[in-house]
């Protein structure tokens, strides 16, 4: 067995793990990242696409935003469609902050390119385990050889289904969870978006979202039943439903094209408190999940990592552990604000299976208020761009 030593062992090469590795590298702190999937798989995983300004600034500070600054589209508003209305919500004018459309897979590619050849990043590690939160050790198999990494700190950036959170003693962790009675079918379409800004559409048949990944590629979502499978959604049905829901009685623009990727995502809210135990910490989806409606997941993951990287630097360079001790408290304020907003936005935009006519009308009244009130739009905008007080 090979025995290695590092300051920070990082489980998972998603956006959280890779950015943490990058920030530590810039602070002169060594780390080892282990990922159980292949490089090709993580670079092609289609997920988030909306970056808050704080996330973009962090990526710039980390020196990994050259491509982002060249390729991403900056958005300052979106359109809200429901019943007989289509209203533009100018969130940047109301909050002073914009958002950037840049695929998560591109963020991951940029971070991998910045690390490879400079610091340890191991793909296709098998049977990864984390033990002993006081003196943490990572173990895994790499190219047929068992490896043990002795670490000062291990950070689980291994997502909701990872191994780090379950390695913590159950008596120390409290979890909160809610599963929504619908899912999202997401399709990636090889066709230029016909419109420049996102469209959130509420229809009596359910929610749909028109978004984009690049000037050539559109990304569309439909609220579907959580028991649906991809076989239930052949191309014809996807397009028919998108045309119906995005029209909302107003006419619409929708460019069809070949569907190049599709997936169904469960909708859930989840928080694990605290976000660590002794010298094992959790960041990103490993610690919390939001339904994707408000596009908060990736942004929360990046925000956790910023706080954790600073706290680790204080500990390793000054012997000051106060940042690490306060890590959970600092992050959870923002996490709970985003959890609540994501739940609220999900409730506002989706048709619940047991929704009565009266409740549908209540939602309509809420949407009209949001669309017509400067105060409501401003509060919404602060939350949407991630600048609301927490
Ligand atoms: C359809 C969809 C749309 C979304 N849209 C948005 C959006 O617009 N904006 C937004 O902010 N968020 C969005 N999100 C959420 C966002 O994608 C996640 O919050 C984000 O990926 C979290 O990053 P992470 O690094 O914490 O976790 P992940 O991206 O899940 O990365 C975890 C990594 O750990 C690896 N791993 C797991 N288990 C192990 C193990 N045992 N050993 C080693 N490695 C392991 C995984 O392979 C993965 O590479 C969306 C999510 C989905 C599914």
């Amino acid at each position: 067995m090979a025995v290695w030593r590092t300051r920070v062992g990082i489980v998972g090469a998603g956006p959280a793990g890779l950015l943490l590795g990058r920030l530590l590298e810039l602070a002169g702190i060594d780390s080892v990242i282990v990922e159980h999937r292949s490089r090709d798989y993580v670079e092609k995983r289609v997920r988030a696409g909306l970056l808050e300004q704080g996330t973009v600034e962090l990526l710039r500070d980390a020196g990994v935003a050259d491509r982002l600054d060249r390729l991403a589209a900056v958005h300052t508003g979106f359109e809200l469609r429901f019943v007989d209305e289509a209203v533009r919500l100018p969130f940047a004018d109301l909050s002073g902050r914009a958002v950037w459309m840049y695929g998560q897979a591109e963020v991951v590619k940029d971070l991998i390119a910045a690390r490879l050849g400079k610091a340890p990043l191991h793909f296709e590690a098998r049977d990864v385990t984390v033990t002993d939160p006081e003196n943490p050790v990572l173990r895994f198999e790499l190219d047929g050889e068992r490896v043990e990494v002795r670490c000062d700190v291990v950070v689980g950036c291994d997502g909701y289904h990872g191994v780090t959170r379950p390695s913590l003693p159950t008596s120390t962790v409290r979890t909160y969870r809610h599963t929504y009675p619908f899912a999202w079918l997401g399709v990636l379409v090889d066709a230029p978006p016909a419109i420049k800004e996102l469209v959130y559409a509420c229809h009596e048949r359910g929610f749909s979202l028109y978004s984009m990944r690049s000037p050539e590629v559109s990304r569309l979502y439909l609220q579907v039943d959580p028991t649906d499978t991809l076989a239930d959604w052949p191309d014809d049905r996807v397009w028919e439903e998108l045309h119906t829901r995005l029209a909302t009685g107003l006419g619409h623009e929708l460019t069809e094209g070949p569907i190049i990727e599709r997936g169904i995502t469960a909708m859930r809210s989840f928080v694990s408190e605290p976000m660590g135990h002794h010298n094992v910490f959790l960041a990103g989806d490993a610690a919390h999940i939001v339904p994707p409606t408000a596009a908060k997941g990736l942004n929360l993951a990046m925000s956790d990592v910023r706080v954790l990287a600073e706290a680790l630097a204080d500990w390793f360079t000054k012997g000051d552990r106060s940042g690490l001790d306060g890590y959970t408290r600092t992050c959870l304020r923002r996490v709970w604000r985003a959890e609540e907003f994501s739940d609220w936005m999900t409730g506002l935009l989706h048709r619940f299976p047991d929704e009565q006519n009266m409740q549908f009308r209540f939602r309509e009244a809420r949407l009209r208020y949001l669309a017509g009130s400067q105060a409501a739009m401003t509060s919404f905008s602060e939350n949407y761009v991630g600048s609301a007080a927490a």
Side-chain angles (χ1 to χ4, degrees):
M1 180 187 334
V3 178
W4 304 346
R5 160 98 199 112
T6 189
R7 291 216 126 163
V8 185
I10 300 173
V11 187
L18 289 165
L19 182 63
L20 179 63
R22 174 69 179 172
L23 295 175
L24 293 175
E25 182 197 335
L26 295 176
I29 298 165
D30 63 272
S31 66
V32 171
I33 304 181
V34 280
E35 162 65 49
H36 68 170
R37 300 285 193 174
S38 67
R39 177 181 178 184
D40 189 54
Y41 183 93
V42 300
E43 288 191 339
K44 290 196 177 135
R45 193 164 35 199
V46 177
R47 285 174 126 196
L50 186 154
L51 307 184
E52 292 172 1
Q53 190 162 325
T55 300
V56 171
E57 285 162 2
L58 181 59
L59 292 168
R60 284 182 184 147
D61 289 348
V64 287
D66 288 356
R67 260 185 359 118
L68 188 162
D69 280 326
R70 266 190 289 119
L71 303 176
V74 182
H75 284 204
T76 57
F78 67 73
E79 191 174 295
L80 186 60
R81 292 184 185 176
F82 58 96
V83 194
D84 53 356
E85 287 208 39
V87 178
R88 182 172 186 268
L89 211 146
F91 56 78
D93 287 348
L94 296 168
S95 69
R97 291 171 89 78
V99 301
W100 277 247
M101 301 307 296
Y102 190 63
Q104 177 170 328
E106 304 307 314
V107 174
V108 164
K109 275 186 217 159
D110 295 341
L111 286 162
I112 289 175
R115 183 164 181 108
L116 277 182
K118 289 199 197 134
L121 166 56
H122 301 285
F123 293 100
E124 300 181 60
R126 294 167 55 115
D127 303 327
V128 180
T129 61
V130 183
T131 52
D132 190 357
E134 284 189 66
N135 300 293
V137 178
L138 280 181
R139 292 189 184 84
F140 49 90
E141 189 180 311
L142 201 61
D143 300 327
E145 186 185 20
R146 291 299 303 167
V147 180
E148 177 174 297
V149 191
R150 297 179 187 161
C151 314
D152 292 329
V153 164
V154 163
V155 184
C157 298
D158 46 351
Y160 181 69
H161 299 287
V163 292
T164 312
R165 194 179 64 250
S167 79
L168 301 178
T170 47
S171 60
T172 66
V173 180
R174 180 165 188 191
T175 54
Y176 301 81
R177 48 182 101 226
H178 175 67
T179 304
Y180 296 84
F182 37 76
W184 272 18
L185 167 69
V187 293
L188 200 64
V189 179
D190 194 5
I195 34 188
K196 289 207 167 67
E197 295 185 333
L198 268 54
V199 178
Y200 291 82
C202 297
H203 190 274
E204 59 186 13
R205 294 179 61 82
F207 171 70
S208 61
L209 169 61
Y210 195 167
S211 70
M212 54 293 290
R213 284 292 181 270
S214 71
E216 296 82 34
V217 177
S218 307
R219 176 79 166 148
L220 298 112
Y221 296 99
L222 283 170
Q223 173 187 348
V224 299
D225 190 276
T227 60
D228 282 1
T229 65
L230 291 176
D232 295 317
W233 287 93
D235 289 13
D236 289 354
R237 187 177 175 206
V238 171
W239 288 116
E240 192 185 324
E241 204 61 27
L242 283 168
H243 279 290
T244 304
R245 294 192 200 178
L246 283 162
T248 61
L250 293 163
H252 61 111
E253 320 80 3
L254 183 58
T255 315
E256 291 192 19
I259 295 178
I260 49 180
E261 199 271 348
R262 71 185 79 211
I264 292 182
T265 306
M267 303 272 283
R268 61 168 74 89
S269 300
F270 170 82
V271 179
S272 169
E273 285 187 11
M275 289 169 57
H277 182 61
H278 288 302
N279 293 323
V280 175
F281 296 89
L282 305 173
D285 278 16
H288 40 74
I289 296 278
V290 283
T293 325
K296 293 287 167 205
L298 174 60
N299 294 294
L300 284 179
M302 298 313 218
S303 165
D304 289 352
V305 159
R306 180 182 55 77
V307 174
L308 189 55
E310 281 171 15
L312 287 167
D314 282 348
W315 190 36
F316 289 128
T317 58
K318 298 183 222 155
D320 175 3
R321 218 188 133 97
S322 59
L324 283 182
D325 294 339
Y327 170 64
T328 293
R329 196 175 57 252
T330 306
C331 290
L332 282 187
R333 290 174 73 100
R334 185 179 156 98
V335 167
W336 278 113
R337 175 89 299 281
E339 290 277 348
E340 191 281 330
F341 179 67
S342 300
D343 177 76
W344 177 85
M345 196 169 162
T346 300
L348 179 72
L349 299 180
H350 290 76
R351 177 113 213 200
F352 283 68
D354 57 354
E355 188 174 67
Q356 309 292 319
N357 289 342
M358 182 94 174
Q359 290 159 319
F360 184 70
R361 289 299 203 171
F362 283 160
R363 275 204 302 121
E364 194 184 321
R366 274 182 218 124
L367 284 159
R368 284 195 202 286
Y369 176 61
L370 173 61
S373 156
Q374 180 91 353
M377 271 199 201
T378 303
S379 167
F380 178 93
S381 299
E382 285 177 2
N383 280 283
Y384 188 73
V385 303
S387 68

